[in-house]
């Protein structure tokens, strides 16, 4: 099989398409023919060797995808050969074949194709827990969604709207602003003027929650636009990690809260994982959640996908199609 291998930590040039031996499923595993693999910022962090994603090279990159089950390992029940499953948090997904633990494989229902399923696993589950668990958005809550035209941002905006929240979306303008608006954001602003929009929308009170996947470049203003006892949810670092800061800022800002959640802690059990994906897939099949696939690439073009994502030249989800 062909797979994208990280030969050493570094830039996109360290990604190499190689021929590797097809894996054999062990007990409790599925062998899946990959139809689509998701490209995510955490793949870039892993490729660069950023903790906690550091791994010994060489290794096959990727952790998310969907495809057709071709072989079952010993003891696997409830899954049949030929069925379509999706996964996230499974190493080695930038490949034509991957071994998926059966308890991490979720069934993809009729009405949801494999590409859409792959596109919604990491980003969709992230948007789901952000708006329903980390801060359960309620009717009339003023929220800020940074990078609202990105994969998580577009899904998060739709889920917040479905829960009755008010979205102030930040984008770099142009097509991205239009996409955020079409996703349901009531207010779309630039990174320079969104604080003014929040003040106006909230009658000076500030935002109940800021969902920030950008990191270093937005951190300070994210804190500044929060209402008293507001919550900053820092779930990513597209512009770089946030440097250490003085905790007293939370007190002087109005008894603020800050959290740095990760998806893994919100899909710990199979019940929680399937509960989130069942709801997501149900919304998609019913036409209530739109999943934008911004671009697709061949496995051989994985480096270009990374360059496009890191350069913030993309919208929605990027996929590799083996």
């Amino acid at each position: 099989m062909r797979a994208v291998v990280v030969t050493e930590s570094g830039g996109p040039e360290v990604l190499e398409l190689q021929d590797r031996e097809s894996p054999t499923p062990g007990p409790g595993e599925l062998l899946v023919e990959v139809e689509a693999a998701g490209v995510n910022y955490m793949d870039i962090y892993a490729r660069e060797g950023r903790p906690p994603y550091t791994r010994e090279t060489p290794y096959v990159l990727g952790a998310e995808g969907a495809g057709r089950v071709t072989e079952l390992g010993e003891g696997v029940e409830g899954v049949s050969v030929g069925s379509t499953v999706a996964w996230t948090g499974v190493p080695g997904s930038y490949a034509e074949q991957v071994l998926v633990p059966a308890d991490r494989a979720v069934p993809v229902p009729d009405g949801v194709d494999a590409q859409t399923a792959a596109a919604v696993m990491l980003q969709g589950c992230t948007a789901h827990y952000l708006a329903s668990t980390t801060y359960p958005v309620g009717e009339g809550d003023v929220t800020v969604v940074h990078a609202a035209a990105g994969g998580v941002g577009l899904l998060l905006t739709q889920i917040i709207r479905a829960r009755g929240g008010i979205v102030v979306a930040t984008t770099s303008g142009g097509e991205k602003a239009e996409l955020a608006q079409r996703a349901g954001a009531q207010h779309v602003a630039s990174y320079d003027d969104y604080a003014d929009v929040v003040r106006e929308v909230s009658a000076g009170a500030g935002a109940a929650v800021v969902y920030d996947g950008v990191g270093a470049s937005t951190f300070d203003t994210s804190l500044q636009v929060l209402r008293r006892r507001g919550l900053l949810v820092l779930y990513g670092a597209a512009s770089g990690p946030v440097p250490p800061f003085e905790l007293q800022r939370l007190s002087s800002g109005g008894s603020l809260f800050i959290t740095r959640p990760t998806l893994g802690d919100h899909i710990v059990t199979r019940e929680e994982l399937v509960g989130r994906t069942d709801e997501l897939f149900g919304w998609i099949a019913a036409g209530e959640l739109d999943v934008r696939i911004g671009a697709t690439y061949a496995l051989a073009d994985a480096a270009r996908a990374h360059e496009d994502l890191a350069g913030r030249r993309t919208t929605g989800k990027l996929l590799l199609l083996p």
Side-chain angles (χ1 to χ4, degrees):
M1 71 164 187
R2 297 181 308 156
V4 177
V5 175
V6 179
T7 56
E8 60 181 323
S9 297
E13 70 280 356
V14 305
L15 299 181
E16 185 176 305
L17 186 64
Q18 297 182 0
D19 287 318
R20 290 204 158 196
E21 187 174 342
S22 294
T24 300
E29 292 182 326
L30 313 174
L31 178 62
V32 181
E33 182 180 276
V34 180
E35 295 184 45
V39 179
N40 300 288
Y41 270 103
M42 66 180 235
D43 302 336
I44 294 176
Y45 304 155
R47 187 204 72 217
E48 293 174 341
R50 283 197 215 177
Y53 303 99
T54 308
R55 292 181 59 188
E56 183 177 349
T57 59
Y59 65 89
V60 179
L61 191 57
E64 170 194 45
R68 186 177 63 87
V69 177
T70 59
E71 192 175 343
L72 306 179
E74 182 183 350
V76 173
E77 298 178 350
V79 184
S80 59
V81 170
S83 61
T84 300
V85 296
W87 61 88
T88 187
V90 177
S93 296
Y94 282 20
E96 292 178 328
Q97 296 175 308
V98 65
L99 293 177
V100 180
D103 65 351
R104 294 283 92 185
V106 299
V108 177
D110 293 339
V112 180
D113 62 78
Q115 288 190 27
T116 301
V120 82
M121 287 300 296
L122 187 148
Q123 293 179 341
C125 286
T126 296
H128 189 283
Y129 84 71
L130 289 175
S132 63
T133 304
T134 304
Y135 181 88
V137 175
E139 189 73 33
D141 280 339
V142 176
T143 72
V144 174
V145 177
H146 283 312
V152 173
L154 289 172
L155 297 169
L156 182 56
T157 295
Q158 294 176 74
I159 295 172
I160 291 171
R161 284 301 312 273
R163 295 179 65 91
I166 298 169
V167 177
V168 177
T170 63
T171 75
S172 56
E175 180 194 9
K176 292 186 176 182
E178 294 175 4
L179 286 171
Q181 191 170 37
R182 288 205 295 269
Q186 298 98 319
H187 308 276
V188 181
S190 72
Y191 293 97
D192 295 325
D193 66 7
Y194 81 92
D196 294 332
V197 177
V198 171
R199 277 192 292 271
E200 182 179 352
V201 171
S202 67
V209 60
V210 175
Y211 294 108
D212 190 344
V214 177
S217 66
T218 52
F219 180 74
D220 285 333
T221 53
S222 292
L223 282 177
Q224 292 168 15
V225 303
L226 287 169
R227 73 184 184 191
R228 184 174 285 124
R229 300 197 304 273
L231 173 64
L232 171 53
V233 183
L234 186 68
Y235 69 91
S239 68
V242 173
F245 73 99
E246 175 53 57
L247 284 175
Q248 185 61 31
R249 290 179 61 185
L250 303 181
S251 173
S252 61
S255 299
L256 304 177
F257 296 88
I258 185 168
T259 185
R260 180 59 175 91
T262 62
L263 175 59
D265 291 325
H266 293 81
I267 53 172
V268 176
T269 66
R270 178 163 180 80
E271 290 72 24
E272 190 170 30
L273 170 63
V274 173
R276 296 195 190 280
T277 56
D278 278 355
E279 192 157 27
L280 288 166
F281 290 154
W283 291 336
I284 293 167
E288 297 171 357
L289 184 68
D290 179 59
V291 180
R292 177 178 173 81
I293 297 174
T296 60
Y297 304 78
L299 281 179
D301 295 326
R304 182 162 61 88
H306 278 215
E307 291 170 349
D308 289 346
L309 182 60
R312 301 179 74 173
R313 296 188 290 270
T314 65
T315 59
K317 184 71 176 187
L318 306 188
L319 295 176
L320 299 181
L321 306 182

